[in-house]
Amino acid sequence: CEVISYESDGLPAEYLGNLLVPAWADHRVERYELKPRGASFGAERKPFIQGGKDFYPSGLTVAPDGSLFVTDWGSKSYPLHGHGAIWHVRTKDAKPAARPKEPKDALLSTDRKTREAAARELVKDEVGRKVLREQLGSKNVRVQAAALTALVDAKDRDTPFEDIAWKSNEVGLRILAMTQVYGHDKEFADPKQ
């Protein structure tokens, strides 16, 4: 019914970047750990939540604290029946992660919404844009993506978009940079050929 990529800090670290999928007919929520496979990905299915015969998960969402909500239709019957439920999934004895307020620090957050909000704040002035350009060299691709997205949106003139487009090891970052350099509807050709 739905697929989400888990990009927060309320579940254990090994869930970061995993796809969570409600499997209605199998009475479970599945977890897929992505594995690079050439220019694409494969996935290893791992158990996440296994319910009983009346568990029919249909939707998922990540709560602001990084925990997860799962909607359960509660029956294989489609008409409204009033047997549904909403499950709150979190680690035992969960305590919300402390998230930095300062944009420069928040840019490094595991939580995607925190990271992207920090990048949108930093891009507003030259000092912040300099921080974002520095993070384009981060070892964390999620931080690189947040920084690059903000700089693309701002059409920052001092960002080396062409270098990123041709030299980044991350295909997604290369494509994002290419759209800034060449536009969204152009065919891309290596300028050295």
Side-chain angles (χ1 to χ4, degrees):
C1 295
E2 183 168 4
V3 177
I4 63 169
S5 174
Y6 186 77
E7 293 289 334
S8 195
D9 52 8
L11 297 177
E14 66 263 21
Y15 288 80
L16 188 63
N18 286 191
L19 301 180
L20 301 176
V21 182
W24 166 282
D26 296 323
H27 312 287
R28 67 178 173 240
V29 177
E30 299 172 336
R31 170 182 165 219
Y32 290 85
E33 187 175 303
L34 298 177
K35 305 282 183 190
R37 187 171 61 197
S40 184
F41 288 91
E44 180 182 343
R45 182 173 58 185
K46 295 187 172 194
F48 184 59
I49 299 170
Q50 179 65 56
K53 64 181 180 71
D54 291 326
F55 181 58
Y56 289 91
S58 56
L60 304 167
T61 192
V62 178
D65 67 356
S67 62
L68 191 69
F69 284 104
V70 179
T71 59
D72 172 9
W73 188 248
S75 170
K76 65 181 175 180
S77 173
Y78 284 111
L80 292 178
H81 49 64
H83 297 291
I86 298 174
W87 300 93
H88 189 190
V89 181
R90 60 184 174 201
T91 58
K92 188 177 181 177
D93 301 323
K95 292 181 176 80
R99 294 188 183 144
K101 302 290 184 214
E102 181 64 36
K104 187 175 177 180
D105 298 325
L107 181 63
L108 307 177
S109 175
T110 303
D111 180 64
R112 181 179 181 174
K113 290 179 182 176
T114 302
R115 198 171 49 244
E116 290 176 350
R120 286 190 303 273
E121 186 62 33
L122 287 166
V123 82
K124 291 178 179 178
D125 62 45
E126 181 51 37
V127 172
R129 286 191 296 275
K130 183 175 185 232
V131 169
L132 292 172
R133 288 190 294 270
E134 289 168 357
Q135 288 301 331
L136 294 173
S138 171
K139 291 183 181 186
N140 184 328
V141 70
R142 289 170 170 84
V143 172
Q144 288 180 47
L148 184 58
T149 299
L151 291 164
V152 164
D153 290 347
K155 297 179 179 19
D156 182 64
R157 294 172 190 239
D158 294 324
T159 299
F161 293 116
E162 194 160 326
D163 286 348
I164 296 165
W166 294 110
K167 297 176 183 172
S168 176
N169 292 328
E170 296 293 334
V171 173
L173 297 178
R174 290 175 60 192
I175 292 169
L176 181 59
M178 282 183 183
T179 61
Q180 181 63 28
V181 174
Y182 301 104
H184 293 280
D185 58 352
K186 304 278 193 285
E187 286 195 26
F188 305 128
D190 189 334
K192 297 175 189 126
Q193 294 184 2

